[in-house]
Amino acid sequence: MPNRLKNIFADFSRCALGNFLAEGRTALRDQGVMIFFFIVPLAYPLLYCFIYTNEAVREVPVVAIDNDRSAQSREFLRNIDATPDAHIVAYAADMEEAKAAMQRREAYGIINVPRTFAADLAAGKQTTVSVFSDMSSMLYYKAVYTSALNASLEMNAKLKVERTPGATQEQARVMDHPIAYKDISLFNPQNGFASFLIPAVLMLVLQQTLLLGIGMAAGTRRERNPGHLLVPAGLQTTNPIPFVLGKAAMYLIIYLPLSIYVLIIVPRLFSLNHLFVPHDLELFIVPFLLAAIFFAITLSGLIRHRETSIMLIVFTSVLLLFISGVSWPQSALPAFWRTLACIFPSTYGIHGFVAMNNAGARLSDLTTETAMLWLQTAIYFCTACAVYWQALRSSKGVNSRASKCK
């Protein structure tokens, strides 16, 4: 019995090592797989960070319509122009001229000051300034609206003080700001788009390149093997475990250093938030990579041609980002999409990494995300084994039929 167990273990190890080396040769010899395994993870994070390096949208061009042309209306528009978010590039005579400037993309907002602006303020009446914004991007709206709001608050405070003659400096300060407040941006102090979006994109890049590379490698094998078999014909074993473990070990060895580069080095290069503890992140990334690898091996059973992986994976990237709960709150998603999100390792990977990277969460704070990733690892390991069990049976069946024909 000990000798038999030793032989079984030796065969298991030999098969696992053979698949480990075979996957390594595939990754190093196939240019398409090399692109998805090495070029894309190395280049895409840099590309995204360079695109969003300014973090926030500043000096959004706007057109002003000063129907009042009083000292107060000019002061109000100067205050808007002085904010960091908006820049008045032109003064229009009427709304039609301002709309034409927006249609030519010369401006992304309109500030319309009414003819009775100064008269209403002098009479103690409430006046209305109309703000129009190009809603093709919410960042334009935020910049234009925030600038107009801050300018109006500043003028309101000044008017309160002016209408209280004889007030001391302390009384004027209290009237200016009856309630003292501080605007503190938690977990994104720059209010930047890169700090908000890039951490989620980095995790998604790791998962999607794994799916693309593994799927393309599987498609290549099917195209080269007679009968479009996932494994070569003639194999006598039907034990899928060494096949799956050998492949997973190779992918894990490739992606562990890539993950360190993507998740640790890139945020530091661009001075993005990086509040994580490296040891905690390393322990968190292991179940994420394993879940993504076994998930990719499972999906590779559906791949018949090299191009199929691109069709299946690339067009789902934006969807996975949306349902992850970063670009749109997950609590606001319909139940179907929340349930669908639970299928993908990227959902829990993004939640965990954003919490670590932006909020400084420790691994002990991410028990739900870590547990779900380990659960996905176990489930997708079983499904990957089922895929290769069927593939090995098909391979053995082809070999048996070939023997009978002889």
Side-chain angles (χ1 to χ4, degrees):
M1 183 65 71
N3 290 333
R4 185 179 178 184
L5 290 176
K6 188 182 296 184
N7 292 334
I8 293 174
F9 180 76
D11 292 340
F12 184 94
S13 302
R14 196 160 43 245
C15 183
L17 179 60
N19 280 277
F20 176 86
L21 297 176
E23 288 299 314
R25 287 192 296 268
T26 300
L28 295 176
R29 293 177 180 176
D30 191 315
Q31 292 183 352
V33 176
M34 283 282 288
I35 289 174
F36 288 122
F37 275 176
F38 298 102
I39 305 301
V40 173
L42 291 173
Y44 264 43
L46 296 178
L47 176 63
Y48 284 124
C49 290
F50 276 123
I51 291 174
Y52 300 120
T53 188
N54 290 330
E55 284 275 16
V57 175
R58 301 295 188 193
E59 299 292 332
V60 173
V62 299
V63 175
I65 306 173
D66 188 357
N67 295 302
D68 191 37
R69 300 186 182 182
S70 63
Q72 286 180 306
S73 66
R74 289 193 294 270
E75 179 187 359
F76 178 73
L77 292 175
R78 281 198 305 269
N79 289 340
I80 292 178
D81 195 27
T83 62
D85 296 325
H87 172 53
I88 297 177
V89 295
Y91 286 82
D94 53 29
M95 181 60 72
E96 294 303 318
E97 184 180 346
K99 288 180 179 179
M102 287 190 67
Q103 291 173 355
R104 294 192 301 269
R105 313 303 286 177
E106 296 173 358
Y108 297 96
I110 300 172
I111 309 293
N112 188 7
V113 180
R115 188 180 303 275
T116 59
F117 183 80
D120 288 340
L121 295 179
K125 298 179 181 179
Q126 186 180 57
T127 190
T128 301
V129 175
S130 301
V131 178
F132 303 87
S133 177
D134 184 349
M135 290 299 292
S136 61
S137 172
M138 293 296 292
L139 296 177
Y140 296 145
Y141 164 75
K142 176 187 174 184
V144 176
Y145 174 75
T146 302
S147 299
L149 178 63
N150 290 338
S152 65
L153 291 175
E154 182 179 345
M155 182 165 281
N156 286 339
K158 181 180 177 182
L159 290 173
K160 286 181 183 179
V161 175
E162 290 177 351
R163 291 175 181 176
T164 311
T168 64
Q169 185 176 3
E170 179 63 20
Q171 289 173 331
R173 186 185 65 80
V174 173
M175 282 187 292
D176 188 357
H177 292 90
I179 299 176
Y181 65 91
K182 291 183 179 180
D183 184 8
I184 301 174
S185 299
L186 295 176
F187 312 137
N188 187 357
Q190 299 92 349
N191 284 325
F193 199 71
S195 297
F196 149 72
L197 185 65
I198 291 300
V201 170
L202 295 180
M203 293 296 286
L204 196 58
V205 165
L206 291 175
Q207 174 183 280
Q208 297 302 86
T209 52
L210 265 171
L211 294 173
L212 286 165
I214 294 174
M216 182 170 286
T220 301
R221 282 192 295 272
R222 285 187 182 273
E223 289 180 354
R224 293 177 179 175
N225 291 334
H228 290 280
L229 296 173
L230 189 57
V231 295
L235 296 177
Q236 297 302 312
T237 181
T238 56
N239 184 4
I241 297 178
F243 278 83
V244 174
L245 290 180
K247 294 175 184 296
M250 173 54 68
Y251 301 137
L252 186 64
I253 288 175
I254 292 174
Y255 265 77
L256 276 175
L258 281 175
S259 300
I260 293 174
Y261 163 78
V262 171
L263 302 180
I264 297 179
I265 296 177
V266 169
R268 294 179 184 274
L269 287 176
F270 290 89
S271 300
L272 300 176
N273 291 342
H274 48 273
L275 304 180
F276 52 80
V277 177
H279 177 67
D280 286 348
L281 181 59
E282 292 163 4
L283 292 177
F284 179 77
I285 203 64
V286 169
F288 169 73
L289 289 179
L290 287 174
I293 288 169
F294 291 133
F295 181 55
I297 294 175
T298 300
L299 290 183
S300 68
L302 304 175
I303 306 299
R304 297 288 175 177
H305 304 281
R306 286 169 59 87
E307 299 79 9
T308 307
S309 62
I310 299 176
M311 300 298 293
L312 288 175
I313 306 304
V314 169
F315 297 108
T316 63
S317 298
V318 175
L319 171 65
L320 295 184
L321 185 64
F322 285 157
I323 65 177
S324 68
V326 173
S327 62
W328 182 258
Q330 200 169 37
S331 59
L333 291 173
F336 169 78
W337 294 107
R338 290 200 302 270
T339 303
L340 182 66
C342 297
I343 297 175
F344 302 96
S346 57
T347 300
Y348 300 103
I350 288 173
H351 288 177
F353 180 61
V354 169
M356 283 185 170
N357 187 72
N358 290 23
R362 299 297 303 269
L363 188 63
S364 57
D365 301 320
L366 304 175
T367 54
T368 300
E369 289 79 5
T370 305
M372 289 302 298
L373 286 174
W374 280 117
L375 178 61
Q376 287 181 335
T377 299
I379 292 173
Y380 291 135
F381 172 73
C382 294
T383 56
C385 288
V387 167
Y388 269 85
W389 177 76
Q390 180 61 39
L392 289 167
R393 285 191 62 190
S394 300
S395 172
K396 193 173 181 180
V398 169
N399 188 55
S400 300
R401 287 193 297 272
S403 300
K404 291 179 181 180
C405 290
K406 293 179 181 179

